[in-house]
Amino acid sequence: MSAQPVAAVPSANLFDAVFAKVIGPESMDMTYEEYEAYLQQLRALLPQGDRKREVQFRSVYCTSEYWKDPKQGLAYADEAQRRAQAAGDLASQGRAQFCRIGYVQELEGAGRAIGEAERMVSLLEDSAESQLLGEALIQRGSLLSQQGEQAKALLDFQRARASFRAAGIDHEVDTLMLWIAITYRRIGDWAQAERYFTRSVERMQDKQDWDRVITDLVQLGYLYDESGKPERAKASFARAIEVATAHKEPLSAANAWLGLASAQVSLGEHDAALASLAQAGAIFGAEERHGSDDMLLLLTGQALAGKGQHQKALANYAQALPLIEKDGNQRYLALLHQARAASHEALGNATQALADYKRYAALQASLHGKMRLEQSRLLEYEYEIRKREFENHRLRAEASSRKSQLQALERIRRWQTLALLLGVLLVAVLAALALRQRKRTRRLRTLAMTDPLTGVASRRAIEKIAERALADATQLQTPVSVLLLDLDHFKTINDRYGHAAGDEVLRATTQAWQAQLRGRDRLGRIGGEEFAVVCMDTNREQALAIAGRLLAATRSLELPGIDPALHVRTSIGVAQASPGDTREALFARADAALYRAKHQGRDRVED
């Protein structure tokens, strides 16, 4: 797909052919080098005085690497947008707005850039430009992710995927998948993000897209650093530097040097960190790029503080603070106040240290609260997305069925009247019999696989679900966990209020639990007041979080129809599958954890 050299002779036909590649589905899989080469071809092919094609050219050339000064790039993008608007060219307006987003982010921070992205999405939302709308949604989602709005970002990414499908792009777009993985990394789902980045490195090496190889390695480095594995982070950043140097990607190398310095600070290698930062700073300076100045200053301060040079560290923090505040990244702001508090404390500045520690504590509390909120929103969005996917699948199936019926009827119309009547009668009889049989089969299957009282999976069904989950986990090398739940003192409820009330408690409790579970979690009743939840693609920590939500939902349950003073409680045992586990072994460990929960006072979670 490489851009081939063309004669530098203006040509409307050749311009149109190259422009179609630059804006079409093919562009979504181009490397940066290929895309830039096509832009230079367009510049050579643009016919002089052709206003329509000049509008088109300007709308894409504003993305060129030629614009090293973001102020000049922004001015060019503004002029491109003005001309597109005057020409009534909506697509070119959208592409020029895409350029504005990047330059505004570099000059004024991600917070201001989100507003620009909102305008691009609004401009294209009701247009026929599906691919361009998908690109706008990726841009807005990436900015939301940087600002900590991970659930909203993932919703934009899902909408972008649907837009690309509408544009005829029938494969996953690598840029979109990269941002989905980055967002999972930021939300703390490191296992899922690591799987993507590791596979992407291999795939991009095969494509020889070295810029993306470096990007994936840098993302892996940050993932390892954030998850407490600085040695692995250091190795990943070092490999990224090696690839960037070999393939002459200076800016990518600078970003990798910056990441390496972060890992070295985590490891206490402060002299090495300062050397890495000097490398990064030299490249950014030579390339006239200042978007990473805030992190250069913050990391330099941390490295100097590690060497005991706290006055110099504070000077760096003072320069970094307004840059980080402008960008609006609360996580980096918390890191700065934590580091500055430590330096003030080391210098005996108790008042300043306390003020920074308070600010750090407030930011951390806000970040943790936001993370919990984002995880909750993510669960809600995942449910809504799956619900919409199911509805779309149903509508497609109905449309396909209607199409088949119309085709059959068209053939039947050619028959003689008597044959037509007999055929219609036969089809009707067969359809009625098939429908009757299908309903009966479905009813019997539902009765066998569903608990008739609570509507959740039966014991037989949940055991089969667990066995399939273990088989999938072994094949895909993903985690799977099981929760066993037992209502505390349920016999007392039955004895005091009667079995009808006990049945109502079971129904209300399972409904409250279902509301807290994700779409891929399955709840089943395995006997009496004992239940099981099979959590696919879920490790021990995630399973404990789910168990905590179920425990809280049980405690919040109110049953005024039985007794306003009635409090329902449950004990929960959690177990993550080990390699080679059978369903019986996994359930046995969860049951042992449940026994400990009961033995240690009930109304608690044990693993």
Side-chain angles (χ1 to χ4, degrees):
M1 193 174 62
S2 299
Q4 301 299 320
V6 297
V9 177
S11 165
N13 289 337
L14 286 176
F15 178 94
D16 291 344
V18 175
F19 186 71
K21 291 183 178 181
V22 168
I23 67 168
E26 189 177 355
S27 67
M28 303 306 298
D29 298 314
M30 289 181 187
T31 65
Y32 291 124
E33 292 80 5
E34 289 169 337
Y35 186 80
E36 183 66 25
Y38 279 125
L39 291 182
Q40 298 310 320
Q41 285 188 19
L42 283 177
R43 187 177 187 181
L45 294 169
L46 178 64
Q48 289 186 352
D50 189 329
R51 292 185 179 179
K52 172 189 171 184
R53 289 182 174 84
E54 184 169 355
V55 166
Q56 294 173 333
F57 170 72
R58 283 176 172 269
S59 75
V60 293
Y61 195 67
C62 58
T63 63
S64 171
E65 293 180 358
Y66 173 82
W67 305 105
K68 294 187 182 297
D69 183 342
K71 291 182 180 178
Q72 292 181 359
L74 181 59
Y76 185 87
D78 286 343
E79 178 62 17
Q81 193 169 53
R82 186 189 67 77
R83 294 190 184 205
Q85 192 169 6
D89 186 339
L90 179 68
S92 292
Q93 277 184 257
R95 285 188 286 272
Q97 181 65 19
F98 186 91
C99 295
R100 273 190 58 82
I101 297 167
Y103 294 128
V104 169
Q105 181 181 4
E106 191 168 351
L107 290 167
E108 302 180 44
R112 291 292 297 274
I114 287 176
E116 299 293 329
E118 296 278 5
R119 278 188 279 279
M120 183 176 178
V121 171
S122 298
L123 180 70
L124 300 168
E125 207 144 25
D126 297 321
S127 75
E129 299 293 334
S130 299
Q131 178 182 327
L132 198 53
L133 175 60
E135 294 177 54
L137 288 163
I138 292 178
Q139 192 81 323
R140 185 174 71 177
S142 67
L143 292 165
L144 288 167
S145 177
Q146 291 175 52
Q147 294 293 294
E149 300 282 352
Q150 311 304 340
K152 290 182 180 178
L154 286 171
L155 192 60
D156 268 355
F157 297 149
Q158 292 293 346
R159 289 184 60 199
R161 179 181 278 167
S163 293
F164 290 141
R165 292 286 184 272
I169 301 174
D170 59 359
H171 63 280
E172 295 292 4
V173 174
D174 283 325
T175 303
L176 172 60
M177 298 308 294
L178 171 67
W179 272 109
I180 290 174
I182 290 172
T183 303
Y184 275 118
R185 190 207 93 205
R186 287 172 173 163
I187 210 169
D189 194 342
W190 292 313
Q192 189 159 322
E194 183 181 12
R195 279 197 299 275
Y196 170 82
F197 291 131
T198 303
R199 292 170 186 168
S200 182
V201 167
E202 297 172 0
R203 193 168 67 254
M204 294 302 154
Q205 282 177 330
D206 292 339
K207 285 178 63 176
Q208 296 190 334
D209 187 345
W210 301 112
D211 191 79
R212 277 297 309 277
V213 170
I214 299 160
T215 298
D216 289 329
L217 288 170
V218 167
Q219 287 298 324
L220 271 174
Y222 282 119
L223 183 152
Y224 291 137
D225 201 22
E226 291 165 5
S227 58
K229 301 172 184 174
E231 285 289 358
R232 294 187 69 180
K234 182 178 170 183
S236 190
F237 287 128
R239 186 180 168 200
I241 293 167
E242 181 183 339
V243 176
T245 304
H247 295 279
K248 297 181 174 57
E249 298 279 358
L251 282 174
S252 295
N255 286 321
W257 279 112
L258 197 63
L260 179 60
S262 176
Q264 289 165 334
V265 167
S266 298
L267 289 165
E269 300 171 0
H270 302 112
D271 287 325
L274 289 171
S276 297
L277 290 164
Q279 290 275 9
I283 297 172
F284 284 133
E287 296 289 327
E288 299 181 8
R289 299 297 176 93
H290 302 287
S292 298
D293 286 355
D294 52 354
M295 288 309 297
L296 278 170
L297 289 164
L298 175 57
L299 287 168
T300 300
Q302 290 177 319
L304 289 169
K307 290 168 59 67
Q309 299 176 25
H310 294 287
Q311 289 289 4
K312 290 183 179 179
L314 287 172
N316 276 271
Y317 299 149
Q319 294 179 66
L321 180 60
L323 298 177
I324 295 174
E325 287 179 331
K326 182 179 81 170
D327 195 51
N329 191 311
Q330 282 198 322
R331 180 172 170 271
Y332 291 157
L333 195 59
L335 288 174
L336 184 144
H337 282 289
Q338 182 187 30
R340 195 167 70 172
S343 286
H344 276 309
E345 186 176 12
L347 293 170
N349 303 330
T351 303
Q352 294 95 320
L354 180 60
D356 273 316
Y357 273 127
K358 286 182 177 179
R359 181 68 178 132
Y360 165 70
L363 285 166
Q364 281 294 95
S366 173
L367 286 168
H368 288 155
K370 196 169 191 178
M371 181 65 77
R372 287 193 295 271
L373 179 61
E374 290 302 304
Q375 289 172 341
S376 174
R377 283 178 177 167
L378 180 56
L379 291 173
E380 293 173 8
Y381 291 159
E382 283 182 346
Y383 170 75
E384 288 299 324
I385 288 165
R386 283 179 173 80
K387 191 167 132 184
R388 282 198 296 271
E389 286 176 348
F390 175 79
E391 183 64 17
N392 289 336
H393 177 74
R394 184 183 67 79
L395 291 172
R396 284 195 298 270
E398 288 179 357
S400 176
S401 176
R402 283 195 297 270
K403 183 178 179 182
S404 298
Q405 290 172 3
L406 287 171
Q407 289 172 345
L409 287 172
E410 189 64 32
R411 289 192 300 269
I412 291 170
R413 286 177 61 187
R414 302 189 190 103
W415 299 352
Q416 295 178 356
T417 303
L418 182 58
L420 173 61
L421 291 173
L422 290 173
V424 170
L425 179 61
L426 179 60
V427 169
V429 170
L430 290 175
L433 289 173
L435 181 62
R436 182 178 176 184
Q437 182 62 30
R438 187 170 63 181
K439 286 181 177 179
R440 184 179 178 188
T441 302
R442 185 183 299 166
R443 187 164 57 250
L444 291 172
R445 185 167 58 245
T446 300
L447 287 173
M449 304 303 283
T450 304
D451 176 52
L453 175 62
T454 62
V456 302
S458 66
R459 181 187 187 105
R460 176 185 174 191
I462 199 68
E463 287 178 349
K464 285 185 176 294
I465 289 165
E467 288 166 0
R468 284 198 302 270
L470 283 169
D472 291 345
T474 300
Q475 183 180 2
L476 302 175
Q477 295 186 337
T478 55
V480 62
S481 298
V482 163
L483 283 60
L484 289 186
L485 306 93
D486 189 279
L487 295 185
D488 298 330
H489 304 298
F490 185 72
K491 185 177 182 303
T492 303
I493 295 174
N494 270 337
D495 292 343
R496 180 176 298 174
Y497 301 102
H499 289 282
D503 290 348
E504 180 58 28
V505 168
L506 291 175
R507 282 191 292 267
T509 305
T510 53
Q511 287 172 9
W513 290 344
Q514 289 278 38
Q516 298 300 317
L517 294 174
R518 304 167 300 180
R520 60 180 181 267
D521 301 328
R522 297 299 304 274
L523 172 64
R525 185 182 181 193
I526 58 179
E529 66 271 23
E530 190 170 0
F531 296 83
V533 180
V534 178
C535 301
M536 289 164 274
D537 199 19
T538 303
N539 60 27
R540 171 183 169 274
E541 290 76 16
Q542 293 168 323
L544 287 171
I546 293 169
R549 291 201 301 272
L550 298 183
L551 196 68
T554 311
R555 291 170 177 166
S556 301
L557 198 61
E558 294 180 357
L559 297 161
I562 299 174
D563 183 350
L566 176 59
H567 299 293
V568 181
R569 297 291 183 265
T570 188
S571 300
I572 306 176
V574 177
Q576 178 181 340
S578 301
D581 257 354
T582 62
R583 186 259 306 163
E584 291 83 359
L586 178 57
F587 270 58
R589 288 208 309 282
D591 192 52
L594 175 60
Y595 176 81
R596 289 194 297 276
K598 289 285 189 183
H599 187 67
Q600 294 178 21
R602 295 183 171 86
D603 189 27
R604 60 188 292 124
V605 177
E606 290 292 330
D607 67 337

